[in-house]
């Protein structure tokens, strides 16, 4: 039996939606046989901004026990799934700052040839999910990474309609992470683990 695929799920979440999706991805990847690290990026916003939204402060306090990501978590991994809410159709600054800090690892080629994928959430439909994931994937191309999006590889993807990754519309916290998003996370996690295993083990 081959050794488990090593997967790191790296996320930024302000009010909790992204961390909930991250947990779903972790569970599905572990069910598919992967060894998984869940890691959060550092919060960069000042306390005044965090305290302006009770849900933001509550989520920050609730997730302090999750280990903060370091570059070593990516070097350890065969595959990485990044998660970010959309910010004006782009990657949240907190996740982008971590990615931008990976210059030394990139220069040494240590981020290449790994599998990468992404997930996101928006307040409204058509609120920037696709542009956020495409912007995130620009970094993957520069890494020399192997982008593994879910595509329309499963019939359920015609329901959520996002071939780029897992996406959720949260309606400012009113729309909870339920069956449709969890199914999308299942498809994505299992596909990432399957492709990473095949690449690592040299399967055709």
């Amino acid at each position: 039996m081959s050794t488990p695929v090593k997967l790191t799920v790296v996320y930024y979440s302000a009010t909790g939606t992204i961390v909930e999706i991250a947990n779903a991805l972790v569970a599905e990847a572990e069910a598919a046989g992967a060894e998984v690290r869940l890691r959060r990026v550092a919060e960069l916003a000042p306390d005044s901004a965090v305290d302006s939204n009770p849900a933001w402060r509550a989520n920050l306090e609730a997730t302090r026990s999750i280990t903060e990501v370091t570059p070593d978590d990516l070097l350890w991994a065969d595959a990485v799934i990044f998660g970010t809410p959309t910010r004006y159709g782009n990657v949240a600054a907190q996740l982008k700052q971590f990615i931008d800090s990976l210059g030394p690892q990139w220069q040494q080629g240590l981020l290449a040839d790994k599998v990468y994928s992404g997930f996101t959430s928006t307040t409204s439909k058509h609120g920037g999910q696709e542009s956020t994931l495409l912007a995130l994937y620009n970094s993957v191309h520069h890494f020399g990474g192997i982008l593994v999006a879910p595509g329309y590889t499963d019939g359920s993807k015609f329901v959520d309609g996002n071939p780029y990754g897992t996406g959720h519309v949260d309606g400012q916290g009113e729309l909870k992470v339920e069956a449709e998003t969890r199914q999308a996370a299942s498809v994505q996690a299992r596909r990432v683990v399957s492709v990473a295993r095949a690449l690592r083990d040299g399967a055709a």
Side-chain angles (χ1 to χ4, degrees):
M1 177 178 289
S2 65
T3 58
V5 167
K6 296 177 180 179
L7 169 66
T8 300
V9 178
V10 182
Y11 79 90
Y12 172 71
S13 184
T15 57
T17 298
I18 289 293
V19 69
E20 190 169 354
I21 300 171
N23 283 320
L25 287 160
V26 168
E28 292 293 342
E30 289 178 339
E35 180 181 353
V36 186
R37 292 182 181 181
L38 176 64
R39 297 290 187 263
R40 62 179 176 83
V41 299
E43 178 59 79
L44 304 178
D47 283 340
S48 58
V50 175
D51 290 335
S52 70
N53 184 338
W56 194 348
R57 172 57 67 186
N59 180 63
L60 183 61
E61 298 302 326
T63 57
R64 285 195 186 279
S65 62
I66 298 175
T67 302
E68 191 173 299
V69 68
T70 70
D72 285 342
D73 293 310
L74 272 64
L75 303 187
W76 168 85
D78 300 307
V80 179
I81 304 178
F82 289 116
T84 176
T86 189
R87 292 293 183 262
Y88 310 111
N90 214 321
V91 179
Q94 289 86 344
L95 178 60
K96 189 61 166 60
Q97 190 278 334
F98 170 70
I99 291 172
D100 288 349
S101 76
L102 297 171
Q105 291 75 29
W106 166 74
Q107 288 175 335
Q108 296 175 71
L110 300 176
L111 304 177
D113 302 328
K114 298 175 183 290
V115 165
Y116 295 88
S117 202
F119 63 102
T120 191
S121 69
T122 54
T123 296
S124 61
K125 289 183 179 180
H126 312 295
Q129 289 189 12
E130 293 178 1
S131 63
T132 297
L133 290 172
L134 290 170
L136 173 64
Y137 294 158
N138 285 335
S139 296
V140 174
H141 298 314
H142 282 256
F143 291 167
I146 299 163
L147 178 59
V148 176
Y152 290 109
T153 58
D154 185 275
S156 65
K157 294 303 293 177
F158 291 96
V159 177
D160 73 80
N162 187 343
Y164 302 92
T166 297
H168 179 72
V169 177
D170 74 357
Q172 293 188 325
E174 296 298 319
L175 303 175
K176 302 304 180 184
V177 177
E178 294 183 338
E180 183 178 302
T181 302
R182 292 183 185 281
Q183 177 59 27
S186 176
V187 170
Q188 183 172 23
R190 291 175 182 275
R191 179 165 164 77
V192 165
V193 171
S194 175
V195 173
R197 182 183 293 118
L199 289 167
R200 188 199 62 190
D201 296 346

